[in-house]
Amino acid sequence: MSDSQYDVVVFGATSFVGQILTGYMLDTYGNNNDFKWAIAGRSEEKLQAVKTKYQAENIPHFIADAANEEQLTKIAQKTKVVVSTVGPYALYGEPLIKVCTKLGTDYCDLTGEIQWYKRMVTKYEQDAKKTGARIVHCSGFDSIPSDLGVLFLQTKAKQLFGSTCQQVKMRVAKLKGGASGGTIASMVNIAKEAAKDPELRKELKNPYSVCPENHNFKSRQDNVSGAVFDEDFNCWVGPFVMGIVNTRVVHRSNALLDNAYQEQFKYDEAMMMGQDKKGKSRARNMSWGLSAFMVLAAIKPTRWVLERFILLKPGQGPTEEEQLKGHYDMRFMGIHENGQKIVTKVTGDRDPGYGSTAKMLGQAAVCLSKISKQEKEGGFWTPASIYGERFIQALTEHSGLTFEVLDKK
Ligand SMILES: NC(=O)c1ccc[n+]([C@@H]2O[C@H](COP(=O)([O-])OP(=O)(O)OC[C@H]3O[C@@H](n4cnc5c(N)ncnc54)[C@H](OP(=O)(O)O)[C@@H]3O)[C@@H](O)[C@H]2O)c1
C-alpha cells in the first residue's frame, strides 16, 4: 500500500510529452508543500537534462526501467498516483500496471492502444478491485475531449429534455497540430500486431471491445470510414483517426455510469471536410490516406521504409511554436428520442496531441490524487466515469479547454 510521500510521480518525464507535462506541473504546482510531485525515467542523464531545461532542480527524481518491477515498486509505494508517458504502452506498459494493481496505487496514462487496454482490463481488473487501484487509460487528447464532451452534452440534455440523448455525433470542425514519434510508433505497433492476429482485427472492429463483459449494448454503431455527406452537420465528413479509440472509451463510460446514456446509445466520430466538391475529395483523401498508412505499416518491408526514412522517430514531435499555434474545435450533436437536438462545442488552446494533452494529463493525475478510495473503488475507469463533472471545471480552469452549448431545439 502506498505511504503517499508524493501525490503524483510522472513516469517518462523525458518523453516528448513527458517533458511538456513536467514543465506544466512546475508552472502550475511549483515545488511547494501542499502538492508533492516527482519525476521518473530510466536515464539519470536525461532526467537531469529535463530538470536543467525547466529549472526543476528541486523536483525529486527516481530511476526506473519500465521492465524492472522492483524499481517500479519502489516508485509506486511512494505515491498516490503514477502518471505514465512511457509508450508504446503495448511494448513497455504492462509491468507498471501489474505493480500498481498489486499495490493499490492509482495510475493514469495516454494510451490509445485499445488492444492493450483490453488486455490490461482482462488481466488486472480483479487485482485492481481487490487492492483499490484506480487505473485510468486514455487520459490525453484521446479520449478526454470526447469522453467529457459527451458527459457535458448528456448532462445538459438531461436538464433540458428530462433525459439523455439516444444518439450523439462528434464532428471535428478544426484541428491544428502535428503528431510525435511516440504516437506514430504506437500506431505502427497496432498495425503490426493486427497484421499477425486475425482475432485482434476482429476485436478492433468491436465498438464495445473495452466494455465490461456483462454489458447489454446491442445497437449497431455508425462508423464513418469513407466520404459521407452528413445531413445533420450539412457537410462532407471523413474518418477521424482517433475515433476507433474514443468511441470505445465513451461506450465503456456509459457502461460504468450504469447506462446513463441509455442502453441503445449510439455514438460516432468523424471530421468535417466542407460542403462542396472539395470537401468530398478531402474526405475521400483522408480515408485513402489512413487506409494506405495502416497497410504500409502492417507490411514488414514498407514499415521499415516508413520508420527509417519518412516517419518521425520516438522523442521527436511538433516545435514549441507549433504547439502554441495548435488548437482544436469539436462539435457534438445530441439527438433525443423526442426529436429534439442539442449542439455543444469543446475546444482546446494548444496542439491536441502534445501541448493540450500534457495539460489534460496533468489535471487527470491531480484530480485522481484527490478522489478518495471511498468515493471511487478500485478498477479500470474512464475519464468521464471517474472524474465526472468536476473534471470539466478543472479542464476549463487549468487545461485551456472550453465546454459550451451552442444550440438547442
Ligand atoms: N492519447 C493521446 O492523446 C496521446 C498524445 C501524445 C502521446 N501519446 C502516447 O504517449 C506515449 C508517449 O509519447 P511521446 O511522443 O512522448 O513518446 P517518446 O518521446 O517516444 O517517449 C517515449 C518514452 O518512453 C521511455 N522509455 C522507453 N523505453 C523505456 C524503458 N524500458 N524504461 C523506461 N522508459 C522507457 C523513453 O525514455 P528515454 O527518454 O530514456 O528514451 C521516453 O521517455 C506514446 O505511447 C504515444 O502514443 C498519446
Side-chain angles (χ1 to χ4, degrees):
M1 201 61 181
S2 150
D3 66 8
S4 302
Q5 191 180 335
Y6 296 99
D7 293 293
V8 170
V9 172
V10 177
F11 182 50
T14 58
S15 74
F16 192 83
V17 71
Q19 292 190 42
I20 306 170
L21 174 59
T22 301
Y24 171 74
M25 295 296 284
L26 199 69
D27 286 348
T28 315
Y29 299 101
N31 182 24
N32 66 39
N33 292 328
D34 297 340
F35 183 81
K36 294 194 173 65
W37 64 285
I39 58 174
R42 63 176 162 178
S43 154
E44 171 74 34
E45 200 185 336
K46 285 190 181 174
L47 283 170
Q48 286 298 352
V50 170
K51 287 171 79 158
T52 307
K53 177 174 170 185
Y54 291 100
Q55 297 175 326
E57 279 83 3
N58 294 330
I59 301 297
H61 72 273
F62 302 101
I63 303 297
D65 190 280
N68 188 322
E69 285 179 30
E70 211 176 301
Q71 289 174 337
L72 296 173
T73 298
K74 283 188 184 147
I75 294 175
Q77 280 171 333
K78 289 189 174 75
T79 183
K80 289 183 184 167
V81 177
V82 181
V83 46
S84 173
T85 71
V86 174
Y89 294 88
L91 299 182
Y92 310 124
E94 182 168 346
L96 184 54
I97 297 290
K98 186 177 169 192
V99 163
C100 286
T101 52
K102 191 170 152 196
L103 294 173
T105 305
D106 299 331
Y107 165 100
C108 58
D109 71 20
L110 284 181
T111 190
E113 297 149 75
I114 214 73
Q115 84 289 13
W116 180 72
Y117 187 154
K118 164 96 180 171
R119 283 205 287 273
M120 294 303 99
V121 178
T122 309
K123 217 164 158 182
Y124 296 106
E125 183 146 64
Q126 284 316 315
D127 290 346
K129 286 191 167 165
K130 254 187 247 154
T131 62
R134 285 89 54 96
I135 309 296
V136 194
H137 294 309
C138 304
S139 296
F141 180 61
D142 42 302
S143 301
I144 284 176
S146 298
D147 203 22
L148 273 295
V150 173
L151 181 74
F152 176 78
L153 179 143
Q154 294 290 35
T155 308
K156 298 292 172 197
K158 228 168 153 183
Q159 289 162 4
L160 289 163
F161 312 139
S163 57
T164 52
C165 292
Q166 218 172 39
Q167 181 175 10
V168 176
K169 292 173 156 197
M170 190 286 277
R171 301 292 179 252
V172 179
K174 286 182 202 151
L175 187 139
K176 190 161 185 259
S180 82
T183 295
I184 288 166
S186 300
M187 288 172 69
V188 168
N189 191 53
I190 293 180
K192 201 163 121 185
E193 282 193 37
K196 285 191 292 204
D197 183 351
E199 273 307 303
L200 173 59
R201 290 201 292 277
K202 208 168 124 198
E203 190 59 48
L204 288 172
K205 287 188 184 144
N206 175 8
Y208 306 121
S209 67
V210 296
C211 284
E213 270 178 16
N214 60 356
H215 75 85
N216 286 323
F217 303 147
K218 293 190 183 73
S219 289
R220 210 183 153 77
Q221 297 293 328
D222 296 337
N223 175 28
V224 176
S225 57
V228 176
F229 193 82
D230 187 331
E231 302 286 347
D232 287 316
F233 284 86
N234 190 31
C235 69
W236 287 94
V237 297
F240 177 45
V241 63
M242 297 306 176
I244 189 168
V245 184
N246 297 335
T247 51
R248 276 61 176 163
V249 172
V250 168
H251 288 302
R252 185 172 172 87
S253 288
N254 187 21
L256 297 181
L257 292 168
D258 299 325
N259 300 355
Y261 310 155
Q262 305 184 33
E263 213 169 286
Q264 284 75 32
F265 179 63
K266 284 177 65 141
Y267 179 68
D268 77 306
E269 299 195 338
M271 286 193 82
M272 291 159 84
M273 294 294 182
Q275 293 173 321
D276 54 10
K277 267 191 195 161
K278 279 188 190 155
K280 184 178 182 180
S281 64
R282 274 196 292 269
R284 209 180 269 157
N285 291 344
M286 169 67 83
S287 158
W288 288 343
L290 276 175
S291 308
F293 175 82
M294 291 317 272
V295 170
L296 294 175
I299 303 166
K300 209 171 172 185
T302 44
R303 182 168 64 240
W304 183 83
V305 174
L306 284 178
E307 286 179 331
R308 181 90 170 75
F309 299 109
I310 299 173
L311 302 176
L312 292 173
K313 310 260 178 306
Q316 297 177 329
T319 62
E320 261 175 50
E321 199 189 342
E322 283 164 344
Q323 290 167 39
L324 278 173
K325 283 188 178 159
H327 53 84
Y328 51 92
D329 176 340
M330 295 157 62
R331 305 292 166 103
F332 296 76
M333 180 181 287
I335 304 164
H336 197 267
E337 59 200 0
N338 65 14
Q340 287 177 292
K341 289 182 178 165
I342 173 171
V343 180
T344 60
K345 168 167 129 171
V346 175
T347 65
D349 69 347
R350 296 275 164 87
D351 77 299
Y354 298 92
S356 182
T357 278
K359 295 198 284 181
M360 288 188 269
L361 182 61
Q363 280 312 307
V366 172
C367 200
L368 191 52
S369 74
K370 290 180 180 163
I371 298 174
S372 74
K373 300 275 188 188
Q374 287 72 34
E375 187 186 341
K376 293 283 181 183
E377 61 188 17
F380 280 64
W381 293 90
T382 57
S385 62
I386 189 161
Y387 306 132
E389 283 177 62
R390 83 195 100 186
F391 197 39
I392 292 174
Q393 194 181 340
L395 291 168
T396 307
E397 284 174 8
H398 305 292
S399 304
L401 269 71
T402 66
F403 293 78
E404 189 185 340
V405 176
L406 292 183
D407 197 9
K408 42 194 189 284
K409 50 186 179 244

